[in-house]
Amino acid sequence: MILRRLFIIVILPLCVFKAGHASAAGDQQIDSVSKKLMDDMRKYFNTTDKEAFYDATTKYKAYCLAGGNMHNFYNAWQSEIIYDINFNHFFKAMRKTVEMSKDMKWRKCSDELHNATYMMGIIYSLQGNIMMGEKYLKKALEEADDKDTLFKVQIYKELANVRMEDHPKQALKDLNKALSLINPERMKYEYSDIVGFKVIAEFFNKDQVAVKKEYNNYMRLKKEYGPEFSETYITYVRMAYHAACGEYDKALEQADMMTNIDRYKMKNKIYEMSGNLAAAYDALKEYMQFKDSVSNEVMIDDLYEVENDIEITKIRSKAEKDKMTNMVLTLITAMAFVIIVCLGLVVKNRNRYLKKIARKNRNLEVMRDKAQEAERMKDTIRNNMSHEIRTPLNIISGFAQIMSVPDFQLSHEERSDIAKRISDSSNQIVKIINNLLYISSEASTSYMSKNDIVPCNDICRKAVARLREKQPDAPEIIFNTSVKDNLKIKTNAAGISNILDNMIDNACKFGNGEAVVIECSLDDKRENVVISIANHGEYIPEDQINKVFDLFYKMDEFKSGLGIGLPLSRQIAEQLDGSLSIDKNYKDGTRIIITLPLTDN
């Protein structure tokens, strides 16, 4: 989402000025103590000295409350929430907003409730929950006083910002509604501010003629309004204009002046317009990497905030506690703990492995190659864990926040759907963790018992059924067998099931939606059972066949998965005195060959 941080920074002056105007309207004089406390709060707002800012805000809130100035009291509370948002502490901001809403209702300050609703819309939209963001912003419009023009203008601007990338036409309608509320002669700053915003919205609407028209209007206002003209979006406006005129180098220069996340996003759009798709792809990758980095920091901060708030939540919500809410909060804490322990085990065993190699071989060249490989594994683990765990954790965290809002009513069907989504996300994380725990354990390199009597055809059919249950929309799976149903082998049932689950899942995932074929037969000497799993997807080149069996190796870094399915499955097959390989002669996609010894039972 573009310009998001800029909007939040602008909000605090609006809140504070709004407080000042309210006092003036009521013919109240701001005393020297109140002014000093407000100045202290403003002074620390744009710093990283959190303790100083929170202390200044607490003192100002206490002073306003003692004097009965509830408007300024809640404005100060809002400033504290915005400060948390600017440091990506979304869970903390959400909690404070809910507390502020409860306080407004308890003190019967219904005329202030629209501020809490507005902050909920801001927090949800910043986290990427557009549906919830729009819902609360629209509700804030309904709750706001019709005379509060500035506040309504700000909400329309925020709605436009939320919708601009995916629905630019709707964003332009929001901006036109904001303009209709403004007197261009009395509110010159606000009027020029929205005109500048429209230039950017037209840029996303890909209407280059409209971009030039709005740009000329914006420049005309700059000459007419002088010091009352808003230059909030001047860099974005110039960038959009140069791009519309085909002056792509100048547009890129303006983009380089923006913050990191906006810089890469805008450069991607400019390169697309110019037809330089390779550069557009590179800019998009940089944007996604930066966005992932920020998302990881936010996720970790939120996890720690959840841990710190669990006990407080239990105490404060005894009368209203919901059994499912407590379960979700506990689950998040457990997941955070398990992930930390799991990563610790992986790092510990990786270090042990490096030390063992160093003791056995003192050759400097080999040690250098191993160290480089270890570094690659570390980066790959971090990047892959970020991609694969962040999504289900965000789902769990997002629904936890929804359910923690007391005013948000859920139907039985919605609760069931939420429970299913939480369960599916939990199972996804558990599967990743189980594989990592197995790799990091000594059992992964030791002897595996082979005392189970396993029917060959039956265990294949069960693996297909499990995949169908987990993925109803998976491609068609065809099972052919030339062995009798009563043929059994003595092996390890759990080990074979693990191999089949991983390989069938891979075949469906990379099969381009076409049917997957599983075949079971005996080899020519009738000494081994051979199970093959084939798809019609991507063909693995011969120079990549050995590499794909390396832990955490992925042919395409942008596809889902950790890169552990193939190496883990081959390791288990070898522990069962069998083998797992890729058929080099199969050119229509990928075929995995699993061979297990046939013994008399």
Side-chain angles (χ1 to χ4, degrees):
M1 197 170 295
I2 306 301
L3 308 177
R4 176 65 64 195
R5 178 69 50 167
L6 186 57
F7 283 1
I8 294 301
I9 292 174
V10 171
I11 291 175
L12 179 66
L14 283 176
C15 291
V16 176
F17 294 152
K18 187 177 175 183
H21 293 325
S23 297
D27 294 327
Q28 299 174 5
Q29 198 71 23
I30 299 178
D31 59 83
S32 59
V33 176
S34 177
K35 185 178 185 305
K36 181 181 182 307
L37 292 173
M38 184 187 294
D39 288 343
D40 285 344
M41 188 176 68
R42 286 172 170 172
K43 179 175 69 174
Y44 292 113
F45 179 79
N46 287 319
T47 71
T48 58
D49 193 343
K50 297 180 182 180
E51 291 186 8
F53 176 74
Y54 290 144
D55 182 64
T57 305
T58 300
K59 290 178 180 177
Y60 182 62
K61 285 166 63 180
Y63 186 81
C64 292
L65 189 60
N69 191 337
M70 303 310 298
H71 185 77
N72 285 7
F73 170 73
Y74 289 121
N75 271 323
W77 202 331
Q78 279 183 267
S79 300
E80 188 175 330
I81 294 169
I82 295 164
Y83 184 84
D84 290 335
I85 291 174
N86 282 338
F87 284 96
N88 293 323
H89 299 315
F90 294 116
F91 188 86
K92 183 187 291 185
M94 176 70 76
R95 183 196 65 202
K96 289 181 180 179
T97 304
V98 172
E99 290 175 355
M100 183 173 69
S101 177
K102 289 180 179 179
D103 190 87
M104 289 172 175
K105 294 175 182 177
W106 180 68
R107 299 183 192 277
K108 298 182 179 180
C109 296
S110 57
D111 56 336
E112 297 290 342
L113 273 172
H114 62 278
N115 290 314
T117 306
Y118 175 71
M119 293 310 303
M120 294 287 280
I122 291 289
I123 295 169
Y124 276 123
S125 61
L126 278 170
Q127 290 182 298
N129 193 336
I130 304 303
M131 181 184 71
M132 292 297 293
E134 286 187 6
K135 174 181 177 179
Y136 277 95
L137 289 171
K138 290 177 181 177
K139 186 177 179 182
L141 272 175
E142 296 172 359
E143 294 175 346
D145 190 331
D146 289 337
K147 296 179 181 179
D148 197 346
T149 303
L150 272 176
F151 184 71
K152 288 203 167 190
V153 167
Q154 184 62 32
I155 296 177
Y156 279 122
K157 285 174 63 179
E158 187 60 36
L159 279 169
N161 189 42
V162 169
R163 297 164 168 168
M164 185 163 57
E165 283 194 71
D166 298 325
H167 304 288
K169 293 186 184 300
Q170 184 59 50
L172 286 165
K173 291 181 181 179
D174 293 327
L175 293 174
N176 286 331
K177 288 178 181 178
L179 285 174
S180 68
L181 296 173
I182 295 175
N183 185 325
E185 295 303 319
R186 295 183 181 180
M187 303 172 70
K188 295 180 178 180
Y189 182 90
E190 291 78 8
Y191 187 84
S192 59
D193 195 57
I194 297 175
V195 172
F197 199 165
K198 283 190 69 176
V199 178
I200 307 164
E202 293 290 6
F203 173 75
F204 277 93
N205 194 35
K206 298 181 180 179
D207 188 339
Q208 312 310 337
V209 174
V211 169
K212 297 175 185 178
K213 177 183 176 183
E214 293 297 342
Y215 174 83
N216 291 332
N217 188 23
Y218 186 65
M219 290 295 105
R220 176 183 61 79
L221 294 176
K222 188 175 189 300
K223 293 180 181 179
E224 291 181 8
Y225 289 175
E228 296 182 78
F229 177 79
S230 168
E231 294 191 0
T232 301
Y233 314 125
I234 190 69
T235 301
Y236 296 87
V237 169
R238 288 171 177 163
M239 179 276 302
Y241 176 72
H242 287 311
C245 294
E247 299 170 346
Y248 301 118
D249 289 339
K250 292 182 179 180
L252 290 169
E253 289 177 5
Q254 296 297 317
D256 281 328
M257 299 179 187
M258 300 174 188
T259 59
N260 284 334
I261 197 162
D262 281 0
R263 179 191 311 150
Y264 300 130
K265 185 66 175 179
M266 290 301 192
K267 288 174 77 170
N268 168 255
K269 296 291 183 184
I270 296 167
Y271 283 129
E272 282 184 357
M273 290 178 63
S274 68
N276 190 343
L277 298 183
Y281 176 71
D282 290 338
L284 181 61
K285 282 203 301 183
E286 291 180 294
Y287 166 73
M288 294 302 296
Q289 289 170 359
F290 185 84
K291 187 176 179 182
D292 283 345
S293 176
V294 173
S295 297
N296 289 341
E297 294 176 6
V298 172
M299 182 183 69
I300 292 171
D301 287 341
D302 281 354
L303 285 173
Y304 282 120
E305 285 297 330
V306 171
E307 290 183 274
N308 293 334
D309 285 356
I310 286 177
E311 292 303 321
I312 297 175
T313 303
K314 287 181 179 178
I315 294 172
R316 290 183 177 178
S317 60
K318 280 185 179 179
E320 302 174 1
K321 71 177 181 178
D322 184 284
K323 196 172 183 179
M324 184 176 289
T325 301
N326 287 334
M327 180 191 70
V328 171
L329 292 172
T330 304
L331 178 62
I332 292 174
T333 305
M335 287 298 177
F337 176 77
V338 171
I339 291 170
I340 292 170
V341 171
C342 179
L343 289 175
L345 287 172
V346 172
V347 173
K348 179 180 178 182
N349 282 277
R350 179 184 63 84
N351 291 337
R352 183 186 301 171
Y353 175 74
L354 287 176
K355 289 179 181 179
K356 184 177 179 181
I357 293 296
R359 285 195 302 268
K360 287 184 177 181
N361 194 337
R362 297 296 180 182
N363 186 287
L364 293 177
E365 183 177 356
V366 174
M367 289 181 65
R368 181 199 64 197
D369 293 341
K370 291 296 180 181
Q372 291 175 346
E373 178 63 12
E375 189 65 22
R376 183 193 68 78
M377 283 180 61
K378 181 188 74 174
D379 292 340
T380 305
I381 292 171
R382 183 186 66 239
N383 293 335
N384 288 350
M385 290 291 285
S386 165
H387 283 285
E388 299 304 317
I389 292 183
R390 184 182 69 255
T391 298
L393 271 181
N394 280 342
I395 291 173
I396 295 172
S397 178
F399 281 123
Q401 291 179 5
I402 291 174
M403 299 180 67
S404 68
V405 179
D407 293 339
F408 192 77
Q409 301 297 322
L410 293 172
S411 66
H412 177 73
E413 290 76 15
E414 288 172 331
R415 285 184 178 274
S416 298
D417 181 61
I418 288 175
K420 183 179 184 305
R421 289 172 182 264
I422 291 172
S423 177
D424 292 344
S425 298
S426 300
N427 290 336
Q428 185 178 346
I429 296 175
V430 168
K431 179 181 177 182
I432 293 171
I433 291 172
N434 284 340
N435 285 341
L436 286 172
L437 286 174
Y438 182 83
I439 290 173
S440 64
S441 68
E442 294 182 356
S444 65
T445 57
S446 61
Y447 170 79
M448 179 179 285
S449 65
K450 298 178 280 294
N451 298 319
D452 300 326
I453 305 302
V454 178
C456 295
N457 290 338
D458 186 56
I459 199 166
C460 292
R461 293 188 181 106
K462 287 181 178 178
V464 173
R466 283 195 298 275
L467 190 280
R468 277 285 174 220
E469 183 179 355
K470 293 178 181 177
Q471 302 181 33
D473 298 327
E476 179 185 7
I477 301 175
I478 302 170
F479 175 59
N480 299 321
T481 180
S482 61
V483 303
K484 297 180 180 179
D485 279 344
N486 61 357
L487 179 68
K488 301 177 181 179
I489 59 175
K490 189 173 183 180
T491 183
N492 186 290
I496 295 180
S497 296
N498 196 327
I499 295 173
L500 291 174
D501 287 346
N502 280 327
M503 295 302 96
I504 296 174
D505 182 70
N506 274 7
C508 291
K509 186 189 301 182
F510 301 106
N512 293 334
E514 297 187 31
V516 172
V517 179
I518 304 172
E519 296 182 344
C520 183
S521 62
L522 298 179
D523 65 0
D524 294 339
K525 296 182 180 181
R526 304 184 69 81
E527 295 176 349
N528 297 287
V529 174
V530 179
I531 301 173
S532 68
I533 302 169
N535 66 14
H536 294 278
E538 185 176 352
Y539 168 70
I540 301 176
E542 287 193 24
D543 61 344
Q544 296 285 318
I545 287 179
N546 290 330
K547 292 182 180 180
V548 296
F549 286 105
D550 291 341
L551 277 175
F552 306 111
Y553 179 83
K554 295 168 65 177
M555 287 178 59
D556 188 343
E557 292 295 335
F558 291 95
K559 287 191 177 180
S560 63
L562 289 175
I564 61 177
L566 274 173
L568 176 61
S569 298
R570 170 181 267 190
Q571 193 170 346
I572 295 173
E574 290 174 351
Q575 287 179 308
L576 297 178
D577 299 328
S579 64
L580 187 149
S581 60
I582 297 174
D583 188 351
K584 298 179 180 179
N585 299 320
Y586 185 75
K587 306 297 184 182
D588 294 333
T590 301
R591 178 157 58 194
I592 301 296
I593 306 295
I594 304 164
T595 303
L596 297 168
L598 180 65
T599 56
D600 295 330
N601 301 307

